[in-house]
Amino acid sequence: MKSNRLTYRVRARNALFSEPITRAGGEKNSLLVPTYQALKGITESIYFKPSIMWIVERARVMNPIKTEVKGIRPVKYSGGNDLSFYNYLCDVEYQVEVRFVFNENRPELKEDWNENKHFFIAKRSLERGGRRDIFLGTRECQGYVEPCEFGSGAGYYDTTESMEFGLQYHSIVYADENAQAQRTVKFWKPKMEKGVITFVPPELCPIERLISANSIKTFTVGTDFQSVEREFVPAGGQ
């Protein structure tokens, strides 16, 4: 059996999906729905390998969209503390569907393009709550993941025909994720239909901005790693 698709449930007490441009004054205000990049980061916390790239396909909003403001005392760069107000999403839960493709911009890792191996390792990592800490937008918003069937259970917006959220941040495409070796930021206009947001891939976003041109770090056998696993790792393996 071959597959490259995972569905999982992620939940947290708070979430803060924001853009750096909105943080200039020290305040942070969350977007109302998760960004593509935030969900990709959560998926990479479950399982990451440089030989594959995760693509977020859909997200289902399960709970009503609510916000709360908290007073925060962040550390100032010049020393001491400051007083800021952060606007968080509260009591969030999402169902997410993702898939992976091989990163063809890293031909030195071609021997690691084993679909079965990566799928089953990712599946086991998801069943154990991920390989790294899960957080939603910022480090203080700790989250939890578990497997689920996409579309199962009742969602708050199941009967809401359509909701639009205007222009917002989508993702960052890094140098090793495109043939031009460029780092670009993407923007789009998300639309939720009956609680489900269907994401467009980064290359189809209508607006993009070039950040910089970077060289791609290459991995060398014997220097950066000893060998590439060819075989399928059986259930229960590490």
Side-chain angles (χ1 to χ4, degrees):
M1 174 182 175
K2 287 189 175 183
S3 176
N4 62 359
R5 193 174 303 271
L6 288 181
T7 58
Y8 61 85
R9 168 182 176 238
V10 56
R11 56 187 173 86
R13 179 176 298 176
N14 290 110
L16 205 165
F17 307 113
S18 62
E19 303 175 38
I21 195 172
T22 65
R23 303 181 185 182
E27 312 290 330
K28 294 182 181 180
N29 293 285
S30 179
L31 301 170
L32 297 180
V33 292
T35 64
Y36 180 99
Q37 189 69 33
L39 296 177
K40 181 180 177 183
I42 291 171
T43 309
E44 289 179 343
S45 292
I46 296 172
Y47 176 67
F48 170 78
K49 271 292 188 70
S51 53
I52 65 173
M53 295 188 298
W54 286 105
I55 297 174
V56 181
E57 299 207 320
R58 297 186 293 171
R60 185 182 179 212
V61 181
M62 301 298 293
N63 293 344
I65 299 173
K66 299 183 294 183
T67 62
E68 63 176 338
V69 177
K70 295 183 180 183
I72 307 295
R73 292 184 61 84
V75 177
K76 297 170 64 175
Y77 286 112
S78 59
N81 294 89
D82 202 354
L83 178 62
S84 297
F85 290 97
Y86 292 1
N87 188 21
Y88 293 91
L89 294 175
C90 60
D91 189 25
V92 298
E93 180 181 335
Y94 308 106
Q95 292 180 354
V96 184
E97 184 178 59
V98 297
R99 63 184 176 90
F100 68 82
V101 296
F102 298 127
N103 189 348
E104 296 182 357
N105 298 304
R106 292 199 173 279
E108 70 273 21
L109 299 178
K110 187 173 182 179
E111 293 185 3
D112 198 38
W113 294 357
N114 186 322
E115 186 178 20
N116 248 19
K117 183 190 79 171
H118 291 301
F119 169 73
F120 283 104
I121 296 177
K123 183 174 180 290
R124 290 198 305 275
S125 298
L126 174 59
E127 292 169 350
R128 289 158 175 76
R131 289 192 164 189
R132 294 181 287 176
D133 289 348
I134 306 297
F135 54 92
L136 285 78
T138 56
R139 190 64 181 84
E140 68 266 24
C141 297
Q142 187 76 31
Y144 305 91
V145 294
E146 61 185 1
C148 79
E149 180 182 351
F150 194 93
S152 62
Y156 185 81
Y157 296 98
D158 288 352
T159 58
T160 303
E161 288 298 326
S162 178
M163 288 180 65
E164 297 187 12
F165 300 94
L167 182 67
Q168 72 176 40
Y169 167 76
H170 179 275
S171 61
I172 290 180
V173 177
Y174 292 95
D176 65 341
E177 296 177 331
N178 64 86
Q180 292 76 32
Q182 296 176 341
R183 189 154 52 104
T184 56
V185 60
K186 307 284 187 172
F187 298 90
W188 76 314
K189 294 182 179 180
K191 183 178 181 180
M192 182 171 69
E193 297 179 326
K194 294 187 176 181
V196 177
I197 300 172
T198 301
F199 290 94
V200 299
E203 60 269 18
L204 295 183
C205 286
I207 300 175
E208 69 174 35
R209 179 183 177 186
L210 175 64
I211 300 176
S212 63
N214 303 97
S215 59
I216 301 176
K217 172 182 170 58
T218 58
F219 295 99
T220 305
V221 178
T223 301
D224 299 302
F225 59 91
Q226 295 302 314
S227 64
V228 174
E229 299 173 344
R230 287 174 172 270
E231 71 281 358
F232 164 69
V233 179
Q238 297 297 319

